[in-house]
Amino acid sequence: MSALAAAVVPAMASAGQRTGRASQVAVPLAAQCRLAPARRHLQDAQRSRRRLHVAGAAAVDAPTTPHKLSEIEMWNGNKRLQTLVADVAPNTITIRSLDWDRDRFDIEFALQEGTTYNSYLIFGEEKTALVDASHEKFRGLYMRTLNAELGARGRKIDYVFVSHTEPDHSGLVKDVVEQFPEALVCGSKVCLQFLSNLIHTPFKSQAVKGGDKIDLGGGHVMEFVMAPNLHWPDTMFSFDHATNVMYTCDAFGMHFCTEDPFDSELSPLEPHYRFYYDCLMLPNAKSVTTALRKVKDLPFEVIANGHGPLLRYNVPELVGRYERWSKAIAGAPASVAVLYASDYGFSDRLSQTLAHGITKAGVATEMADILSVDPQELVEMLGRNSGIVVMAPPSDSGEARAAIATLLSAVKPNKQKIIVAESYGGRDEPLDSLVSGLVAAGVEPLMDLRVKEEPSEALYQLFEEAGTDLAQALTVKEAIAKKKAAMCPDVAKALARVSGGLYIVTAAHNDAKSAMVASWVAQASFEPLGLTIAVAKDRAIESLMQVGDKFVLNCLGEGEYNATMKHFLQRFPPGADRFEGVDYRLADCGSPVLNDSIAHMECKVVSRMETADHWVTYAEVTDGQVSQPDKRTAVHRRKVANYY
């Protein structure tokens, strides 16, 4: 095994494990078979206490926490839903809605392990508070569980703390306030405005600000911290001074469905925690840094997040990663202001996808809600960003019209690169009028993105690739200079003597598919058979090569690869079909097999190791075939190692 493989494989090979299981109720046999290994894994873990390591602290014991599982209910015929109740701290429980089979979250997330929606009950001596609710698909399950826990303690809900109003967390707030009309709903000012438009029913409310406190009795004093743009403009954290539990909703979460309520085993969570950060938090890195500064003096010991396992055993390490990752992007050579309309059409999700494409290429982003941003803040933001993304706001919004007027007066003619895009909200400001206004202001958009139907996975891919193209256009000179300065000429010539084969990597998921030419490929293990591929962070295919994803490695033959390689080396516009005119068939995993390849291998991503500009992807080879046994794989030789 190579030194690189020795470093990557042992450290990451467990990333595909899963600790969760479903309750043993009447579910299809195939589903039970899929869950059997996970059940055994959890049972083994419960028979022994695990030693867990917290950064900067000694190893601690992770006791098995008793918890209650509901029976499984089927949704849409084939999706398993379940609730889990577990103790979090004294007088504090979580109701976790387990969405076992959700394989994509808002399409753009490469989910492989489902997700959870976490809700919390805090029983003070005098008052009871609910922190967040759940997705509306859990209505029956969640409300029954909530009422059972309240009834067992003879309690009712006095407060509802809404961390933010995204429907997966607030979809059942209406049900809660209808059952408990005297409950006081607390949230940021923006949150309560959004909530009013969301539930269309009267409710008692109290807007809270940073530093405000509410006393539930028995020492349970709740303190609020405003954390806008993590990842909606209305987000707030809540901190319980009695238990040192901090409720953070989306921040510090991950899409990973497991019966274990906590981060008892870190390695299986790491790739999901990182990918979640990259998709949702990295575009708001500046806001992450601000939020961390606001909470640095709070003695939080448990992070009660909105998705995935709660953080108890690895809090310093995982919070530290947020800080490191966010500070790293702060030194980016360029930044882009992304203006979207929250709670309107697909503006939020499409803008996040664009922002993810931008940050993949090492460019920072600043997100702002065009419906609520302060005019002076908008002027300052536009002044410090070399790129701008404008999602079409609703045409009947006075706030949006004022913000667009501010934008047109503040843009820098011939100095900023701009993308405008539709939000598919039904009342979009016409893109043609936005483009005309920008051209009149001296800035011609780099591209305009039209949305003709409800976004599909292919459309999200288009938006991500458009963001990456914008970032690359802003940094092309810096990127060339950086490569030249990366190593001295003699070292570059020496490293270039490390040769590799020539391959086409292909990947697909539903209607999204991509490909790239690869030469940094090496076998990495015998048992199981595995290989590594270095994938540049700004490659379009990178989003389809997350842990658990499948792809095909196509081997190109000596002397016969020029046409194929030339095709896949061309710069494709965002969303273009890379396989147009290419003769291929689909492998069992769904990824294309090139018919002129001399051999191919089907692979499944097990783990990834990050370097400065690439992901070293370790994958298990699950199948393969040699189609031209008399041919040898083409070899790629370079003169200098500064380039591929």
Side-chain angles (χ1 to χ4, degrees), residues 33 49 85 152 166 200 253 255 329 348 436 473 505 516 537 641:
C33 292
R49 294 165 66 87
V85 178
E166 196 172 14
H200 303 293
H255 292 310
I329 197 68
D348 174 64
S436 297
V505 180
M516 75 168 192
K537 290 181 177 179

Side-chain angles (χ1 to χ4, degrees), residues 402-632:
I404 292 297
T406 300
L407 165 69
L408 296 177
S409 66
V411 292
K412 303 173 184 177
N414 303 316
K415 292 185 178 180
Q416 290 172 310
K417 298 186 184 297
I418 297 181
I419 289 178
V420 293
E422 291 180 333
S423 299
Y424 199 70
R427 310 188 313 278
D428 286 16
E429 181 72 21
L431 279 201
D432 290 339
S433 65
L434 287 174
V435 171
S436 297
L438 289 165
V439 170
V443 181
E444 185 159 354
L446 190 68
M447 63 187 84
D448 56 280
L449 306 177
R450 314 271 172 164
V451 184
K452 302 303 181 186
E453 57 188 8
E454 185 168 315
S456 63
E457 196 161 346
L459 187 85
Y460 282 103
Q461 181 185 17
L462 183 156
F463 270 63
E464 181 178 303
E465 292 174 9
T468 300
D469 279 8
L470 172 61
Q472 291 172 340
L474 292 171
T475 59
V476 59
K477 292 181 180 178
E478 291 85 352
I480 293 173
K482 189 175 181 180
K483 283 183 179 179
K484 288 182 177 179
M487 61 187 79
C488 72
D490 287 342
V491 173
K493 290 177 183 177
L495 185 56
R497 294 321 190 255
V498 178
S499 60
L502 281 174
Y503 311 91
I504 305 296
V505 180
T506 61
H509 189 279
N510 294 332
D511 60 349
K513 54 185 183 290
S514 192
M516 75 168 192
V517 177
S519 59
W520 295 3
V521 178
Q523 183 171 344
S525 61
F526 288 124
E527 181 57 42
L529 286 173
L531 53 80
T532 58
I533 302 177
V535 183
K537 290 181 177 179
D538 60 356
R539 290 282 192 184
I541 200 172
E542 183 270 340
S543 292
L544 297 176
M545 295 182 66
Q546 303 300 312
V547 171
D549 284 341
K550 298 176 182 178
F551 65 90
V552 167
L553 182 68
N554 297 271
C555 302
L556 300 183
E558 278 185 336
E560 300 176 355
Y561 60 83
N562 284 338
T564 301
M565 192 168 75
K566 183 178 179 181
H567 172 83
F568 286 106
L569 281 176
Q570 66 180 301
R571 188 174 182 85
F572 292 92
D577 182 2
R578 286 156 172 77
F579 298 93
E580 184 176 355
V582 175
D583 185 21
Y584 71 90
R585 64 189 186 278
L586 294 181
D588 290 341
C589 68
S591 297
V593 175
L594 306 185
N595 286 332
D596 62 356
S597 64
I598 64 170
H600 77 275
M601 287 148 277
E602 296 186 46
C603 307
K604 181 178 180 179
V605 178
V606 174
S607 59
R608 308 200 314 165
M609 183 182 78
E610 185 177 16
T611 70
D613 43 27
H614 285 71
W615 287 102
V616 179
T617 302
Y618 171 71
E620 180 182 342
V621 179
T622 59
D623 201 358
Q625 182 180 2
V626 177
S627 52
Q628 299 184 50
D630 296 332
K631 299 290 180 65
R632 296 190 301 180

Side-chain angles (χ1 to χ4, degrees), residues 14-15 52-54 254 263-271 273 311 313-314 317-318 321:
S14 63
L52 298 145
H53 295 275
V54 180
M254 68 200 82
D263 56 332
S264 302
E265 294 184 71
L266 182 57
S267 59
L269 308 181
E270 290 179 298
Y273 186 76
L311 308 188
Y313 303 114
N314 304 278
E317 170 63 25
L318 293 176
R321 292 185 190 186

Side-chain angles (χ1 to χ4, degrees), residues 88 94-96 116-120 131-132 163 169 245-254 261-263 269 273 276 302-312 318 322:
V88 176
T94 178
I95 301 175
R96 303 175 71 232
T116 73
Y117 314 97
N118 302 336
S119 175
Y120 303 91
V131 182
D132 297 323
S163 302
H169 303 291
V245 176
M246 184 165 68
Y247 302 87
T248 62
C249 201
D250 281 334
F252 309 107
M254 68 200 82
F262 301 105
D263 56 332
L269 308 181
Y273 186 76
Y276 181 95
V302 175
I303 290 181
N305 50 29
H307 295 291
L310 287 66
L311 308 188
R312 165 173 282 173
L318 293 176
Y322 260 47

